[in-house]
Amino acid sequence: MPPHPSPTATPRPDHSVDSAGGTEASAHGAKKRFLHDAREYVRDTDHRAFLRRALAGYYTTRDGQKARYRDWEHARDAANLAKWNAVNRLDEMLVRFADRFEAGGGKVHWARDAAEARTIILEIVRAAGAKAIIKSKCMTTEEIHLNDALEAEGYGVVESDLGEFIQQLRGEPPFHFVFPCMHVRRGEISKLFEEHLGSAPTESPEELTMIARRYMRRLYVEADVGITGANFLVAETGQISITENEGNARLTAALPRVHVALAGIEKCVERLDDLAVLLPMLATAGTGQPLTCYNTLYGGPRAEDECDGPREMHVVLLDNGRAAILADPEQRDSLQCIRCGACLNVCPIFKNVGGFTYGTTYQGPIGSVITPHLRGLGDWNHLSQASSLCGACTDACPVRIDIHHHLLHNRRNAVRAVPNRLERMGHRMFAAVAARPQLFAAGGAVFRRSLWLLKKLRLPLLRDWIASRDLPGAPARSFRDQWRHRASPAVARGRTDADGRLQ
Amino acid sequence: MNARDAILARVREALTVPGPGPHQRAGEMSGHGAAPHPQPLPLGNLPVLALEAARPWLPDGGATPAERLALLADNLGKLKAVFHRVPTIHAAQDLLFSIARERDWKRVAWHAHPLVEPILSGIPCATHRVDGAAAMTADPATYSSLRKDALEACDAGITGCDALIAQTGSVLVSSATCGGRSLSVLPPVHVVVATPEQIVATLADAFDALRERHGEALPSMLSFITGPSRTGDIERILVLGAHGPKELFVILVG
């Protein structure tokens, strides 16, 4: 494969704002960067073709798995019900989970925001006298920038998920929250491993995987603390559930002395049985598998009669803006997200602008819905414009979150918060003209004759629109005029055949 | 106010504003290419268990033991696991020993289990028992690294299981009944021995089997293993043996 010319848009650590306050990206900064990066990525047709190829296999396997469901659409209703039930009784679920988990010998910690979560985890790591920390994939740790905090305190931390490990070596955040390095080519990975691990160059994905496997094995054995996320918190049994394919989370929660899991408060489900629905659906929607390779439940540290496992287990429950989404009944259901990533995989915007352009922890349609809530609508509203409102995301969502309508709601809310005077004036003028047929006809006539001039003048308001779109020439006659003088008698009589075609 | 109370107060405050009910759109979708549904989803009286609502629509787990066995074998094959059915413990031994010779295993790890122990006896290589007396009573400060190293050096881990799930081709293991947490994931090969009675239809049935076996006191780890470890992180190309076992054998005895 020829070397890939990198887009000039540089992937960057996401510019997060803790719900507590501190801001790294100004309102216009985030939007400007989005527009700039989107333009660069869209221009890079090789990159887009590469992403499309990577996703083609996903579509095939996903469709194959969906076909094994006796009814996927009804199963989605049930998955929605399981998460709806837990989210709408979240206080009860959290208390039950915490009580049951602590009865199993683990410790629950509560964190209002990212800073509090970092402090809690640092304290656990310090108390354990940790020398080495191993981590399995967890987007919530990306959300709170845990690795930076651990490294600032002098702790070495290694990402064990292959994709996350590659991103860690590249110094980049994940490109996609399920497929972290789907934008990276094997040649680049080979060079990266050559440089950091001293391995021989290879074009074989299998050999590259084995290089990472060999490198990681000592680290599992030597690490004192293992950090994971959690896909579900089961209130009934006080267990966390972790979904993965590589076995790295299994090893991370088996070998180190201390296991810490960080989870958003919305991860609750009420019953163990709910997982009999959600685990297969998460796998089918996320990666097109019947079930991912390892789906593991942990109810606490090693029990007395067990021969291995950590001596301590901690679960850190993170709010960080989630209660604010809960408080908005219209968008409450976005907390039902199980982070399968299906909405990214089908999104025409994601496929064209790529994951880094969003500048958020959670990319794609669902990220565009929740990020403005987590970080302030003012700064991140441009993400709700990053949608064609085609609804592919909503159709793909295994728990039936109404994603594209939420993007529309965010647009409405943003306009309410900061009205655009010019836009409002424009709409009023159009309404006034459209309500008066003669004025409308006259206006249309003027517009048809002056369209070429508008294109040529490149007025500031139209410039961005025309830059990426072909504006067709104006017809000589108006639609109403054409309709009035339509020629075909069949059309006039409105006769159609059985298929609705004009006869 | 501590963080726990503060978060719970925010959540309760948020939930005082009523929100919409669960989505029930399956009926609306039937016009768009989906087959018409013979009966509506029984969601009339909430709360209904999500599982009860979903059960008829999830992938099939087989109605009879023969169907379940066939489905399990088929799914394991698709997952690139190796499935064998043998009539007796003696036949299982022959099979395991030939695998051991073929792969030139030097040492295999195992745990006390009514099937594992007899099948393993006489294997032509060294063995390492993970749940011996030393492991159970070792001092927490020193127990770890020596034992982890010993297990890491083994060529295979031989375990029993709690259930085999026809619907997904999964093997359910637990930390209490399958030699702890690492035996089934650290060695590069995992061999599972089981009996046909352990095959259940669906994940939900596996949860029932767990409750029946363990009651309220569930083991600290339960894991559904669905094929050998894998990754697609490099260009979405499937590679087996990412961090866990590269090979998974399921040997059904009887």
Side-chain angles (χ1 to χ4, degrees), chain A residues 193-335:
Chain A
F193 284 0
E194 221 181 311
E195 189 183 313
H196 289 271
L197 312 178
S199 57
T202 170
E203 286 279 305
S204 148
E206 176 155 15
E207 274 175 47
L208 289 168
T209 304
M210 291 312 132
I211 292 166
R213 177 188 170 101
R214 283 193 295 273
Y215 174 77
M216 218 64 82
R217 280 184 95 71
R218 286 314 306 164
L219 303 181
Y220 289 119
V221 173
E222 283 158 14
D224 311 287
V225 175
I227 299 176
T228 70
N231 296 82
F232 300 100
L233 308 167
V234 186
E236 174 193 26
T237 56
Q239 292 166 307
I240 69 165
S241 173
I242 300 180
T243 289
E244 53 148 347
N245 266 313
E246 298 183 0
N248 60 314
R250 282 278 313 267
L251 291 164
T252 303
L255 297 170
R257 270 181 298 137
V258 178
H259 174 199
V260 187
L262 174 68
I265 53 174
E266 84 284 12
K267 296 284 180 193
C268 290
V269 293
E270 184 176 10
R271 301 177 184 86
L272 194 54
D273 280 345
D274 292 337
L275 297 188
V277 183
L278 292 170
L279 295 178
M281 295 191 69
L282 170 59
T284 298
T287 54
Q289 292 174 273
L291 205 56
T292 62
C293 208
Y294 300 98
N295 282 275
T296 312
L297 289 146
Y298 298 96
R302 168 190 177 180
E304 273 312 306
D305 57 350
E306 294 174 1
C307 63
D308 64 357
R311 293 284 168 172
E312 279 175 45
M313 180 174 174
H314 303 265
V315 170
V316 183
L317 299 174
L318 177 72
D319 179 348
N320 205 35
R322 287 162 174 79
I325 301 181
L326 196 67
D328 177 356
E330 196 171 59
Q331 300 202 5
R332 186 172 289 164
D333 74 356
S334 61
L335 286 181

Side-chain angles (χ1 to χ4, degrees), chain A residues 68-120:
Chain A
R68 295 189 55 230
Y69 284 71
R70 281 168 288 182
D71 192 312
W72 173 255
E73 295 303 328
H74 271 147
R76 287 173 75 203
D77 286 346
N80 172 278
L81 178 63
K83 282 301 293 184
W84 175 87
N85 172 48
V87 166
N88 283 276
R89 292 160 63 203
L90 193 58
D91 50 336
E92 189 191 330
M93 295 301 124
L94 287 167
V95 170
R96 270 169 73 189
F97 167 78
D99 288 352
R100 289 285 303 166
F101 180 74
E102 296 208 323
K107 174 100 180 80
V108 172
H109 307 259
W110 302 73
R112 277 165 281 211
D113 52 40
E116 199 164 28
R118 289 193 297 262
T119 308
I120 291 166

Side-chain angles (χ1 to χ4, degrees), chain B residues 13-32:
Chain B
E13 168 74 26
L15 288 174
T16 55
V17 187
H23 294 303
Q24 297 175 47
R25 303 236 181 90
E28 294 169 25
M29 301 294 289
S30 50
H32 297 276

Side-chain angles (χ1 to χ4, degrees), chain A residues 1 50 54 68-71 73-78 80-82 84 87-91 94-95 99-100 110-112 116 160-163 166 179-182 184-186 189 205-206 208-210 212-213 216-218 220-221 223 236-237 239 245-248 250-251 253-256 265 271-277 279-281 287 289-311 317 319 323 326-327 329 332-333 395 400 402, chain B residues 1-4 6-8 10-12 14-15 17-27 29 34-35 37 39-41 43 46-51 53-61 71 75 78-79 130-131 135-136 138-140 143 145 147-149 151-152 166-168 170 173 175-176 179-188 203-204 207-208 210-211 216 218-231 233-237 239-246:
Chain A
M1 193 168 293
F50 180 70
R68 295 189 55 230
Y69 284 71
R70 281 168 288 182
D71 192 312
E73 295 303 328
H74 271 147
R76 287 173 75 203
D77 286 346
N80 172 278
L81 178 63
W84 175 87
V87 166
N88 283 276
R89 292 160 63 203
L90 193 58
D91 50 336
L94 287 167
V95 170
D99 288 352
R100 289 285 303 166
W110 302 73
R112 277 165 281 211
E116 199 164 28
S160 57
D161 173 85
L162 177 60
I166 289 165
F179 313 139
C181 67
M182 68 176 295
V184 187
R185 291 155 201 248
R186 61 183 90 178
I189 298 169
E206 176 155 15
L208 289 168
T209 304
M210 291 312 132
R213 177 188 170 101
M216 218 64 82
R217 280 184 95 71
R218 286 314 306 164
Y220 289 119
V221 173
E236 174 193 26
T237 56
Q239 292 166 307
N245 266 313
E246 298 183 0
N248 60 314
R250 282 278 313 267
L251 291 164
L255 297 170
I265 53 174
R271 301 177 184 86
L272 194 54
D273 280 345
D274 292 337
L275 297 188
V277 183
L279 295 178
M281 295 191 69
T287 54
Q289 292 174 273
L291 205 56
T292 62
C293 208
Y294 300 98
N295 282 275
T296 312
L297 289 146
Y298 298 96
R302 168 190 177 180
E304 273 312 306
D305 57 350
E306 294 174 1
C307 63
D308 64 357
R311 293 284 168 172
L317 299 174
D319 179 348
L326 196 67
R332 186 172 289 164
D333 74 356
D395 281 349
R400 284 199 190 282
D402 206 350
Chain B
M1 207 191 282
N2 66 28
R4 176 185 188 273
I7 291 171
L8 288 173
R10 278 184 201 167
V11 167
R12 287 188 184 119
L15 288 174
V17 187
H23 294 303
Q24 297 175 47
R25 303 236 181 90
M29 301 294 289
H37 304 298
Q39 60 199 85
L41 188 61
L43 282 185
L46 286 169
V48 173
L49 293 178
L51 173 61
R55 212 189 275 271
W57 314 121
L58 292 173
D60 191 18
L71 201 53
N75 280 331
K78 285 182 187 150
L79 292 162
V130 295
D131 56 350
M136 304 302 286
D139 169 18
Y143 97 104
S145 69
R147 293 190 48 252
K148 287 185 221 170
D149 283 338
L151 181 60
E152 206 273 322
Q167 181 189 36
T168 55
S170 306
V173 299
S175 50
R181 296 190 184 193
S182 33
L183 178 60
S184 54
V185 74
L186 188 58
L203 282 178
F207 287 134
D208 287 340
L210 275 175
R211 279 184 279 253
E216 284 274 284
L218 293 173
S220 75
M221 184 212 76
L222 302 166
S223 191
F224 292 94
I225 298 173
T226 311
S229 156
R230 62 197 59 207
T231 185
D233 275 345
I234 299 173
E235 296 188 10
R236 308 295 316 134
I237 294 164
V239 176
L240 297 183
H243 294 280
K246 286 177 208 179

